[in-house]
């Protein structure tokens, strides 16, 4: 048994070695304490007093102890102490927030927005994609090791992680697909996790990114063009099924507030319509204006072509090329985000999507680069400050005609692109999203006076800076979003 305990200790030290320091330090401290206790027990105990347990039996005892200990740590220790810690921090005006765990590009940018408001804020993920890896806490190595070598430790690890987060943070932000602990269903933040966070006095905010909320029946009912129009495999990419509606309703009832934007408003019960996609303007600077002559260069960077309507764009381009129009088509997929940003700088026009009914993050990045953007927006109500928005609204039915206008009016593309840059700076910068978060907290969080006063002061400063950003002149065009769904009317080129 001594050899087994020594092997167990070495195994736990190896696990700690692949953890980030903020988790490994307390773990190593606990290992040393347990080691000292075990050695004293082995040395002082009489041989007859040492249980004769097999390796399998000892492992069962250990598993039970770890499961029970992690549960006690979470429920009996972290929740009551975390409630007191949050109360003290918020009363002093020093709030802390955690953003997790879906590894999308904007997660660390949202944490930066909270930092502008005076929060100590971090992002945390369990996995990363090729497009972004810039997160404060990346537990991919730890979770992969646990899945490969000690799957029985996953649940205790999640409990310890949640206990750590409850002690350290006051405000939690998740997307609808998962929180810090394993899902109870295919999609959704675990209900018990939400209950524990609220019992610990935490504010919990939920956000949609698309696949986590989109259901097929409601999507098909939106109209001729929608994200399910050309889906090759229903049920694979999105929540899809009707039972997700009940899951969504239960989550939203437990949250402090539930947010959605664009087409995702159709799936979230009683959502707050809030634009929460921030752009890092330092990373996405304006490029040279679109060229007034030469081949019209169109850039397109779909993550999934069937959700963007890429085939309709390519068909329209081929038809115009056959008529003698000079068009250069640049398409990339599966590349890091910085490569997409570089590509947009080479283009005269960026194509976002033509079937979904709401513009995506690609459209914001392209506008930040000073590029006119082709996209489909179903309704003006889905756009913030729609009178300022220069998006070129188009569906597959109007793509060819809209491209003909762009070819015939090359000189008008530059001011449209300039207004896009101004629009993103005013409405979708990190500062703009931070100001929206400040309003959200004021309306829903019920923070103590010290924290709320800090948020109000910073919000006023940010909004003053944003209002001072000038807009471009002469950018108006025939396809603005304020004219409504282009599929409901014949689009005439002016």
């Amino acid at each position: 048994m001594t050899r087994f305990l020594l092997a167990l200790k070495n195994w736990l030290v190896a696990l700690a070695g692949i953890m980030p320091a903020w988790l490994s330090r307390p773990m190593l401290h606990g290992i040393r304490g347990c080691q000292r206790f075990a050695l004293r027990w082995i040395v002082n105990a009489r041989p007859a007093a040492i249980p004769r347990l097999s390796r399998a039996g000892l492992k069962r005892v250990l598993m039970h102890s770890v499961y029970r200990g992690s549960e006690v740590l979470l429920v009996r220790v972290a929740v009551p102490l975390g409630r007191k810690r949050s109360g003290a921090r918020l009363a002093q005006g020093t709030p802390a927030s955690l953003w997790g765990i879906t590894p999308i590009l904007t997660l660390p940018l949202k944490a930066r927005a909270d930092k502008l408001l005076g929060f100590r804020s971090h992002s945390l993920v369990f996995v990363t994609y090729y497009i972004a890896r810039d997160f404060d806490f990346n537990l991919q190595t730890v979770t992969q090791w646990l899945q490969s070598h000690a799957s029985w430790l996953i649940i205790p690890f999640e409990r310890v992680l949640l206990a750590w987060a409850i002690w350290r943070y006051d405000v939690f932000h998740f997307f609808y697909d998962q929180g810090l602990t394993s899902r109870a269903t295919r999609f959704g933040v675990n209900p018990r996790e939400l209950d524990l966070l609220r019992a610990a006095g935490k504010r919990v905010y939920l956000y949609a990114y698309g696949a986590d909320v989109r259901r097929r029946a409601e999507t098909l009912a939106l109209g001729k063009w929608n994200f399910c129009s050309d889906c090759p495999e229903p049920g694979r990419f999105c929540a899809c099924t009707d039972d997700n509606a009940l899951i969504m309703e239960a989550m939203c009832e437990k949250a402090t507030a539930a947010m959605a934007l664009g087409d995702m408003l159709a799936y979230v019960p009683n959502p707050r319509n809030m634009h929460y996609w921030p752009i890092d303007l330092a990373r996405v600077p304006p490029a040279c204006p679109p060229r007034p002559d030469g081949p019209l260069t169109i850039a397109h960077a779909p993550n999934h072509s069937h959700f963007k309507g890429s085939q309709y764009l390519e068909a329209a381009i081929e038809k115009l090329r056959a008529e003698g129009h000079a068009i250069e088509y640049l398409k990339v997929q599966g590349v890091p985000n910085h490569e997409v940003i570089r590509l947009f700088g080479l283009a005269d026009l960026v194509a976002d999507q033509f079937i979904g009914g709401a513009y995506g993050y690609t459209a914001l990045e392209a506008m930040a680069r000073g590029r006119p953007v082709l996209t489909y927006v179903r309704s003006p109500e889905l756009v913030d400050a729609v009178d300022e928005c220069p998006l070129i609204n188009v569906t597959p039915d109007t793509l060819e005609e809209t491209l003909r206008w762009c070819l015939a009016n090359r000189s008008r593309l530059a001011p449209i692109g300039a207004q896009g840059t101004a629009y993103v700076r005013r409405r979708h910068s990190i500062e703009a999203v931070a100001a929206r978060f400040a309003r959200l907290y004021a309306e829903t969080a019920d923070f103590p006076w010290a924290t709320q006063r800090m948020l109000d002061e910073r919000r006023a400063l940010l909004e003053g800076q944003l209002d001072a950003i000038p807009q471009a002149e002469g950018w108006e065009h025939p396809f603005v979003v304020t004219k409504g769904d282009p599929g409901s009317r014949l689009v005439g080129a002016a």
Side-chain angles (χ1 to χ4, degrees):
M1 187 172 69
T2 303
R3 288 195 301 271
F4 175 76
L5 289 174
L6 182 61
L8 175 63
K9 174 250 185 182
N10 292 335
W11 178 71
L12 291 173
V13 169
L15 174 60
I18 63 172
M19 288 182 174
W22 50 272
L23 273 177
S24 63
R25 280 195 295 265
M27 182 174 178
L28 288 170
H29 180 75
I31 291 171
R32 295 188 191 101
C34 291
Q35 181 183 17
R36 288 192 296 269
F37 172 80
L39 288 174
R40 285 198 302 269
W41 181 78
I42 291 172
V43 169
N44 296 329
R46 295 189 301 274
I50 300 177
R52 292 184 176 274
L53 290 176
S54 66
R55 189 183 186 93
L58 189 56
K59 182 178 179 180
R60 285 195 297 270
V61 172
L62 176 65
M63 289 174 61
H64 175 77
S65 300
V66 171
Y67 269 73
R68 179 60 180 165
S70 62
E71 177 73 5
V72 170
L73 172 68
L74 175 59
V75 177
R76 301 292 180 85
V77 179
V79 169
L81 292 183
R83 188 178 188 91
K84 293 180 180 179
R85 285 273 291 178
S86 282
R89 279 193 297 260
L90 294 175
Q92 296 168 2
T94 57
S97 65
L98 182 66
W99 288 85
I101 64 162
T102 310
I104 61 175
L105 184 66
T106 63
L107 197 68
L109 302 182
K110 292 181 176 71
R112 285 175 56 184
D114 263 356
K115 289 177 182 178
L116 289 177
L117 299 177
F119 282 77
R120 174 172 54 81
S121 186
H122 301 107
S123 58
L124 183 149
V125 298
F126 293 150
V127 297
T128 58
Y129 303 147
Y130 59 85
I131 58 172
R133 301 180 185 273
D134 186 22
F135 305 100
D136 295 304
F137 300 130
N138 181 357
L139 301 184
Q140 181 165 332
T141 303
V142 179
T143 55
Q144 288 179 344
W145 192 93
L146 288 171
Q147 289 166 359
S148 301
H149 297 85
S151 59
W152 65 274
L153 272 176
I154 292 176
I155 291 177
F157 172 77
E158 290 177 345
R159 291 172 179 167
V160 173
L161 179 65
L162 181 57
W164 166 84
I166 287 174
W167 172 260
R168 188 177 172 89
Y169 298 100
D170 315 305
V171 182
F172 289 75
H173 300 272
F174 299 128
F175 291 94
Y176 291 103
D177 58 349
Q178 187 175 346
L180 293 173
T181 59
S182 298
R183 305 182 184 103
T185 54
R186 178 170 170 249
F187 280 88
V189 182
N190 193 305
R192 185 167 187 263
E193 179 178 344
L194 292 173
D195 289 337
L196 290 172
L197 289 173
R198 297 315 304 272
K202 311 303 179 179
R203 281 70 169 172
V204 181
Y205 294 92
L206 301 177
Y207 304 81
Y209 65 83
D212 56 339
V213 299
R214 198 171 287 123
R215 295 185 294 273
R216 185 168 177 81
E218 288 98 320
T219 304
L220 291 172
L222 292 174
K224 176 182 179 181
W225 300 111
N226 56 73
F227 279 117
C228 292
S229 299
D230 300 319
C231 180
E233 192 176 342
R236 174 185 173 187
F237 300 98
C238 301
C240 286
T241 57
D242 292 338
D243 60 349
N244 180 258
L246 299 176
I247 297 170
M248 289 290 303
E249 185 175 352
M251 278 194 293
C252 294
E253 287 178 354
K254 297 175 184 291
T256 305
M259 267 65 64
L261 78 167
D263 71 303
M264 293 168 270
L265 292 164
Y267 314 102
V268 179
N270 302 313
R272 297 178 68 91
N273 186 358
M274 177 180 172
H275 294 269
Y276 45 78
W277 297 137
I279 287 283
D280 183 355
L281 297 174
R283 192 182 60 84
V284 193
C288 296
R291 298 166 300 176
D293 50 28
L296 179 68
T297 303
I298 302 174
H300 186 44
N303 50 359
H304 300 289
S305 294
H306 43 266
F307 291 140
K308 305 300 182 181
S310 303
Q311 67 271 32
Y312 304 109
L313 172 67
E314 291 160 5
I317 290 174
E318 287 305 313
K319 182 175 181 179
L320 293 169
R321 279 174 171 172
E323 296 177 4
H325 294 285
I327 300 176
E328 183 181 1
Y329 180 50
L330 305 176
K331 179 183 179 182
V332 295
Q333 284 183 279
V335 301
N337 184 251
H338 65 82
E339 179 61 22
V340 174
I341 300 304
R342 186 193 68 82
L343 177 72
F344 289 167
L346 304 176
D348 304 309
L349 190 66
V350 171
D352 178 29
Q353 59 78 32
F354 318 106
I355 62 176
Y359 63 93
Y361 200 68
T362 295
L364 297 179
E365 291 177 322
M367 286 193 286
R369 291 288 271 164
R371 294 297 173 261
V373 177
L374 299 170
T375 194
Y376 171 40
V377 180
R378 185 172 287 108
S379 168
E381 287 72 30
L382 303 183
V383 180
D384 183 53
V386 67
D387 292 335
E388 301 178 16
C389 182
L391 291 170
I392 300 174
N393 203 6
V394 61
T395 68
D397 297 320
T398 63
L399 252 173
E400 180 187 335
E401 184 176 5
T402 305
L403 286 174
R404 289 185 187 278
W405 183 90
C406 293
L407 287 163
N409 295 271
R410 296 287 296 275
S411 63
R412 296 179 65 175
L413 297 183
I416 295 174
Q419 175 61 15
T421 299
Y423 178 75
V424 169
R425 289 183 64 199
R426 288 167 58 88
R427 305 296 175 181
H428 288 282
S429 61
I430 296 175
E431 292 79 6
V433 173
R436 291 194 189 101
F437 286 155
R439 289 196 296 272
L440 172 68
Y441 295 142
E443 295 169 2
T444 63
D446 192 26
F447 283 142
W449 176 80
T451 294
Q452 190 56 56
R453 181 185 65 172
M454 177 186 68
L455 295 178
D456 291 342
E457 292 174 351
R458 299 202 177 201
R459 171 189 163 190
L461 178 62
L462 290 170
E463 290 180 341
Q465 295 170 348
L466 295 168
D467 290 341
I469 297 172
Q471 300 185 59
E473 299 288 340
W475 63 268
E476 293 80 3
H477 56 80
F479 313 99
V480 291
V481 177
T482 53
K483 293 187 177 181
D485 191 332
S488 64
R489 58 185 170 82
L490 291 175
V491 180

